[in-house]
Amino acid sequence: DSGCGSWLFEPQSTNLVTYSEDFSDASWTNEGLGTTPILETGYLAPDGTNNAFKISNANQDSFWYTIPSVIGSSTTRTIYARTTSGTGTAQLCSHNSNTNNTFTITEQWQRFELNATASAIGTDFFYAVDFRGSGTLSEIILWGANATNDQDYATSYIPTSGATVTRNQDVCTNGGSLAS
């Protein structure tokens, strides 16, 4: 570390989840399988607003998902999550049959990333949470669903509210000299 600052330049990227923060929108659903999850809004989100959602499923027999635009098995998926109290595990971002989507969730906001799905089941869907798998939590607070086909790694979160949104690439023109 030279003590000098640095810049992070990101490529163009598109969030394919059309409602990234509103899990109550009709684009998100349970499709009537298992016990319908209970949604509650008004929880403090990482951006300082009170628009995070608590999703509860006491019977752990359901899931909450959306169908993003043009999504596939190579999509990078991310979501912010925390528990209401304590620590536990939950399956986030993809179908419960996958083995790479079980994460340890704490009371602190964390952004969870899934770079590929391990199964062909549900690759066209973004499962915010799937309670049917190996998770131990029956409720979780979620915010900021993001799915991109542009990169094989997570870029900055791109908020959406009704359509996909593309974040332009960062560009630096005349940024200075490389000479010391």
Side-chain angles (χ1 to χ4, degrees):
D1 180 14
S2 66
C4 296
S6 60
W7 291 357
L8 170 65
F9 293 101
E10 295 188 60
Q12 177 175 303
S13 192
T14 302
N15 187 354
L16 304 171
V17 176
T18 56
Y19 282 90
S20 62
E21 297 173 15
D22 186 0
F23 295 100
S24 68
D25 181 76
S27 64
W28 289 93
T29 188
N30 176 49
E31 203 171 283
L33 301 175
T35 307
T36 302
I38 299 168
L39 295 175
E40 295 178 46
T41 190
Y43 290 85
L44 184 63
D47 68 350
T49 61
N50 286 322
N51 65 351
F53 279 80
K54 180 171 82 168
I55 302 178
S56 305
N57 184 228
N59 295 335
Q60 294 181 300
D61 62 354
S62 193
F63 54 90
W64 202 249
Y65 79 100
T66 190
I67 305 172
S69 172
V70 195
I71 194 169
S73 60
S74 62
T75 303
T76 298
R77 306 153 195 246
T78 65
I79 196 164
Y80 289 86
R82 72 176 184 87
T83 64
T84 54
S85 66
T87 298
T89 58
Q91 289 188 283
L92 306 173
C93 300
S94 72
H95 192 270
N96 72 320
S97 66
N98 291 320
T99 58
N100 62 343
N101 64 340
T102 302
F103 299 99
T104 300
I105 318 292
T106 68
E107 294 178 36
Q108 301 300 312
W109 281 111
Q110 299 173 74
R111 187 178 188 201
F112 295 95
E113 177 180 341
L114 184 63
N115 290 325
T117 55
S119 165
I121 299 171
T123 57
D124 294 335
F125 306 112
F126 185 106
Y127 291 80
V129 60
D130 195 334
F131 291 107
R132 301 171 300 168
S134 60
T136 60
L137 296 171
S138 61
E139 62 183 17
I140 190 168
I141 300 175
L142 299 174
W143 181 84
N146 203 82
T148 60
N149 283 340
D150 312 306
Q151 313 301 327
D152 59 355
Y153 55 89
T155 59
S156 296
Y157 167 64
I158 304 166
T160 62
S161 59
T164 62
V165 173
T166 299
R167 179 192 177 284
N168 291 330
Q169 77 176 31
D170 296 317
V171 177
C172 178
T173 306
N174 298 324
S177 171
L178 292 177
S180 328

